Amino acid sequence: MTTIVDKKDPSNTHVSKRIALITVGWIALILGVIGIFLPLLPTTPFILLASWCFARSSRYFHNFLINNATFGPMIQRWEAGQGITRTIRNRAVTMLWLTMMLSMWIIGKWWAMALLTTIGLCTTCYLFRMTRDDPVEESVANSKKHGLIP
């Protein structure tokens, strides 16, 4: 008799691996929350990492994140393969370049400027590739464009 093991079921994960994933998940979640208030610390990657860790270790914590009013919609879009909206992309790119420029000014070395510019360009390209149009956001933009909404 063959037993079918569901690899996505967190209860099938070894106990020490589950504890490690839960620990990393909580650290990532805490860093993500701190990132809301500190512009140099990114929020989204840490929240997505926390979701990934919790999905593989604890249904309870993963459901907690998915049902959270602040982080839930972002995680659900990402897990559904819908990427990020234009609004989020634009905010991320703006903050990215503001902090990159500040870092370049503070460091003041040509090699650091070249490195930060390369990282910024690669990240910007990645964010533009991950952008998916949100139907609600697109319909509001079209309504504004055609004068239906002031």
Side-chain angles (χ1 to χ4, degrees):
M1 183 170 161
T2 305
T3 311
I4 298 174
V5 176
D6 182 9
K7 295 201 183 241
K8 291 185 178 182
D9 184 6
S11 63
N12 292 330
T13 307
H14 192 271
V15 174
S16 60
K17 186 176 179 181
R18 286 185 69 204
I19 291 170
L21 286 170
I22 289 171
T23 303
V24 170
W26 276 106
I27 291 169
L29 181 60
I30 290 166
L31 288 172
V33 170
I34 292 170
I36 293 171
F37 305 102
L38 293 177
L40 296 176
L41 192 65
T43 298
T44 303
F46 286 119
I47 299 303
L48 293 176
L49 174 62
S51 174
W52 183 86
C53 289
F54 291 155
R56 283 149 186 78
S57 61
S58 170
R59 282 189 184 142
Y60 177 80
F61 292 140
H62 188 250
N63 287 336
F64 166 77
L65 268 184
I66 295 255
N67 295 318
N68 183 281
T70 304
F71 303 125
M74 170 181 55
I75 295 169
Q76 291 170 9
R77 278 186 63 83
W78 186 263
E79 288 182 350
Q82 296 174 342
I84 60 175
T85 64
R86 287 180 190 209
T87 304
I88 293 171
R89 180 207 56 208
N90 293 341
R91 286 181 194 160
V93 169
T94 301
M95 287 305 297
L96 169 77
W97 283 103
L98 287 174
T99 55
M100 289 287 198
M101 303 276 270
L102 178 64
S103 298
M104 288 179 208
W105 180 70
I106 290 172
I107 296 172
K109 305 281 185 195
W110 70 267
W111 56 267
M113 290 181 195
L115 180 65
L116 289 171
T117 300
T118 303
I119 292 169
L121 289 172
C122 291
T123 305
T124 300
C125 289
Y126 178 75
L127 289 171
F128 271 85
R129 287 185 60 225
M130 293 308 301
T131 303
R132 303 286 185 269
D133 288 331
D134 185 11
V136 174
E137 184 179 301
E138 191 175 312
S139 67
V140 169
N142 285 336
S143 297
K144 286 182 179 180
K145 186 169 99 176
H146 295 295
L148 300 173
I149 298 177

